Amino acid sequence: MRIGIVAPAKLLDRAVAAEVQAFAAISFPSVELVIHPQCFLSDGHFAGPDSARAAAFLDYANDPAIDAIWFARGGYGSNRILSAVMPALTDAAANKTYLGYSDMGFLLGALYARRIGRPVHGPLVMDMARSGGDAAVARALGWLVKRDKAGLEASIAAQPVAAFNLAILTTLIGTPWLPDLTDHILMIEDVSEPLYRIDRMLFQLAQATQLKGVAGIRLGRIADVQPNDPPWGEPLEVMITRWARDLGVPYLGAADIGHDAQNKLVPFGMVV
């Protein structure tokens, strides 16, 4: 199996790339990780200019010899290439799994909106750098190589699911790149935000007409919460319950997803 690695947002650290390749060679010897040279480009914040990041994604997405796309890391930037890459995808792109989270939610959402391939919210290549990152990488490769269900978010059941970073999801609202999530259980997570911003994004989610068909909401980890001044006094459970009620759907409890090495896999549209 050949898994292509591209970086539609920020660049991939070479040392981490080498560590992941070494891990895969030992633990998944049938896999060839094909890292696009674009992953190591630098153009200010980005892994190369928009044109280079778009070209790299299309190189591998449209290559029939690449079986899956594993995104290198998040950050910011994949939204800037959507209008260039989405119309240029070929039939070969429809046969692939696309794995990542955080900023990669822009691409996962746009792919799912057009039912292209199999988008999955799950570990990135760069997660190898986290504490316990080898388990996250094993979870990712286990799904890509043999559809190992041990790495799936445990609540996936009889209704289709989707998962997003909350900031990415709210940015997608009102755009043509937000998929139809009617009858889906929607899982959300976020990182490095003060709670008033989380509350504001939940307000936008709750009022979005594009999301009125959602069947329920689960809350992943809201990590590295930034301080409020004055301190925020409302618990997350109260916030999410209130905004789910405004959306007209039940709050179904926690989801085991987040910006950490414990981040479980959520294949878009999957039912068990």
Side-chain angles (χ1 to χ4, degrees):
M1 182 178 192
R2 302 181 79 230
I3 299 173
I5 296 174
V6 293
K10 296 179 73 174
L11 64 82
L12 177 62
D13 184 276
R14 288 184 182 272
V16 174
E19 191 174 355
V20 170
Q21 285 186 308
F23 178 88
I26 294 171
S27 301
F28 295 86
S30 66
V31 169
E32 179 186 1
L33 297 183
V34 187
I35 302 178
H36 200 289
Q38 169 271 325
C39 290
F40 307 117
L41 296 180
S42 179
D43 183 44
H45 173 91
F46 305 105
D50 293 351
S51 58
R53 301 195 320 279
F57 177 73
L58 290 173
D59 278 351
Y60 281 4
N62 289 338
D63 184 349
I66 298 290
D67 300 299
I69 301 292
W70 190 15
F71 294 118
R73 65 175 301 174
Y76 170 72
S78 64
N79 58 312
R80 291 166 55 125
I81 68 171
L82 290 179
S83 60
V85 302
M86 294 307 298
L89 292 170
T90 66
D91 289 346
N95 295 319
K96 292 178 173 57
T97 298
Y98 299 82
L99 175 61
Y101 70 102
S102 188
D103 190 75
M104 298 304 105
F106 284 117
L107 279 161
L108 298 177
L111 289 163
Y112 194 54
R114 284 146 184 78
R115 297 303 190 261
I116 297 173
R118 297 171 294 278
V120 182
H121 182 285
L124 297 157
V125 176
M126 197 66 187
D127 283 330
M128 178 60 92
R130 298 184 186 274
S131 175
D134 54 346
V137 168
R139 193 179 310 123
L141 290 173
W143 180 258
L144 291 174
V145 175
K146 55 186 179 181
R147 293 294 187 265
D148 184 354
K149 293 182 179 180
L152 293 176
E153 208 285 323
S155 69
I156 297 173
Q159 284 183 284
V161 292
F164 286 93
N165 170 269
L166 179 59
I168 303 305
L169 176 62
T170 55
T171 305
L172 284 167
I173 290 169
T175 75
W177 310 116
L178 181 70
D180 180 3
L181 297 177
T182 299
D183 296 330
H184 286 58
I185 303 300
L186 175 60
M187 305 183 195
I188 53 175
E189 49 81 21
D190 217 310
V191 67
S192 299
E193 299 279 6
L195 288 178
Y196 84 87
R197 291 186 187 171
I198 297 295
D199 194 66
R200 186 168 63 195
M201 289 187 284
L202 289 172
F203 158 79
Q204 186 177 5
L205 181 154
Q207 305 304 318
T209 57
Q210 285 176 289
L211 294 175
K212 291 303 182 184
V214 168
I217 293 180
R218 289 189 178 274
L219 182 64
R221 287 176 285 282
I222 306 296
D224 188 30
V225 174
Q226 299 301 297
N228 274 51
D229 184 16
W232 185 263
E234 191 172 43
L236 272 166
E237 287 267 335
V238 174
M239 293 160 60
I240 187 66
T241 301
R242 181 182 63 252
W243 293 122
R245 184 171 62 246
D246 273 22
L247 183 59
V249 302
Y251 169 55
L252 300 172
D256 194 5
I257 62 171
H259 276 62
D260 52 46
Q262 289 71 49
N263 186 24
K264 298 301 191 299
L265 295 142
V266 182
F268 283 42
M270 185 174 187
V271 295
V272 174

